[in-house]
Amino acid sequence: MQRILVVDDVEINRELLRNMLEEDYIVEMAEDGVQAIHSLAKHCEGIAAVLLDLQMPGMNGFAVMEEMCLRGWMKRIPVLVISGEYAIEVENRCFELGVCDFIHKPFEDSIVRNRIRNTLELFSRRNQLERKVKEQEEIIRIQAEKLREEHSFNRLMMEYRSAIREVETKLQVLNEEFSQEYNRNPFEYIKSRLKSPDSIFEKLRRKGYPLTLEAIKENLTDVAGVRVICSFPDDIYRLADLLTEQDDIILIEAKDYIEHPKANGYRSLHYILDVPIFLSHEKKYMSVEVQFRTIAMDFWASLEHKLRYKKNWDRADADEIVAQLKSCADSIEDLDYQMQTIRDKIDRCSQGLRKENNRYENK
């Protein structure tokens, strides 16, 4: 039989629960928090659930739960709060500490039995699922380690690096040409990255693909990435067109988040390209993700990235930051186009001055 620990400073409550449960469970009793912690320390592995009162002298129910959290017991033992308290803030605090359910006073025999049974079943299933997940993660880790050590995997990463260099070279040539022809550059700088093996394996696992070279090549288009940072929105489109019009570049997919921003305000132009690399015995195409964005939007995206991957945010703080970032993204769009308009005016003035100088020199 499974063992239940009942913790309540009122004897009649403990006896009521014992009478309800003793046919199905071994019922142990504790009359305060200190006794409860002592019993848990002594029989932790054998206790299937704790029925815990909140209002007790000395060490109350909240203090018991906090101690259980510190010792790692809340993850292993389901806790059901027995209380006459219905306040929302009290229940929220209990759930935040890891409580599974509530049994409200006065006790109803069938409700007590059903809630305990359901909690134990759900807790058991959750533990089984967690064990299976850990087993799968261990299998994936072993597979990933084997793949990481294979020569073929390292060669594939070399090919992706070569594809990044091809894109960077093409962009640098265009930049040099613009500098000569128009006395300005279409982009400010380039960032590139190759996904780490851990990131590749995690994405394969998350999407349900096998950990194989074929799965990487067929299903992941962002292993190799190039980010192009431009000053103005029209430079983004001009540069993207010039790159994709080259006869050895194949445009696979385009997502225009400048024309159609994401809900959070993110604006960028994303291309998936097939890029040729030239090896000693063959020419082959590799996928590269190329992102074009303005300087201001690149700065915005770095802040948004920190929010997205930051853990344990307070929900209210996170919502406020999301709203502020959305407002900033809208302001950035306005600023980008205002600056572009100013640049156009400067260009027109410069052209007018050059024409005046040419007429003067030809006289």
Side-chain angles (χ1 to χ4, degrees), residues 195-316:
K195 262 189 186 301
S196 69
D198 288 343
S199 181
I200 292 171
F201 302 145
E202 166 59 23
K203 189 164 186 178
L204 288 174
R205 184 195 64 78
R206 190 172 68 249
K207 291 183 171 292
Y209 299 126
L211 267 66
T212 62
L213 295 179
E214 290 71 24
I216 295 172
K217 290 184 284 189
E218 291 175 8
N219 301 295
L220 302 187
T221 58
D222 62 344
V223 174
V226 176
R227 187 176 303 152
V228 188
I229 311 304
C230 301
S231 297
F232 306 103
D234 64 353
D235 283 338
I236 288 176
Y237 290 108
R238 181 180 296 112
L239 188 60
D241 288 343
L242 289 171
L243 180 63
T244 54
E245 285 169 1
Q246 297 191 15
D247 58 12
D248 58 350
I249 293 286
I250 302 172
L251 176 61
I252 302 300
E253 184 180 2
K255 293 182 180 178
D256 191 343
Y257 297 117
I258 300 174
E259 189 70 26
H260 306 286
K262 290 187 176 182
N264 64 355
Y266 175 75
R267 291 170 170 83
S268 184
L269 181 64
H270 289 204
Y271 279 176
I272 303 298
L273 306 177
D274 268 358
V275 179
I277 61 172
F278 301 88
L279 305 171
S280 57
H281 299 293
E282 64 175 326
K283 168 188 172 183
K284 64 188 303 185
Y285 277 84
M286 305 296 296
S287 293
V288 180
E289 181 187 58
V290 184
Q291 299 178 5
F292 301 86
R293 60 176 71 149
T294 63
I295 298 171
M297 183 49 63
D298 188 56
F299 176 56
W300 179 96
S302 69
L303 284 178
E304 195 273 341
H305 181 84
K306 290 178 182 178
L307 172 67
R308 195 170 354 126
Y309 290 99
K310 191 76 172 178
K311 305 298 183 185
N312 301 321
W313 277 98
D314 179 85
R315 186 68 259 170

Side-chain angles (χ1 to χ4, degrees), residues 87-103:
I88 292 174
E89 59 271 17
V90 172
E91 293 198 2
N92 280 337
R93 185 181 173 192
C94 289
F95 283 126
E96 287 171 0
L97 287 168
V99 164
C100 292
D101 205 349
F102 280 77
I103 299 175

Side-chain angles (χ1 to χ4, degrees), residues 117-133:
R117 186 183 67 251
N118 290 343
T119 296
L120 291 177
E121 287 179 358
L122 287 171
F123 211 78
S124 175
R125 290 176 185 173
R126 191 189 77 179
N127 288 340
Q128 289 175 4
L129 181 60
E130 286 179 351
R131 282 195 296 272
K132 287 182 180 178
V133 168

Side-chain angles (χ1 to χ4, degrees), residues 62-89:
F62 289 113
V64 171
M65 286 186 280
E66 287 168 357
E67 184 66 22
M68 289 180 69
C69 287
L70 286 173
R71 300 195 187 198
W73 293 339
M74 289 293 284
K75 294 180 179 178
R76 304 204 307 266
I77 305 172
V79 175
L80 295 90
V81 167
I82 50 176
S83 175
E85 180 65 69
Y86 284 85
I88 292 174
E89 59 271 17

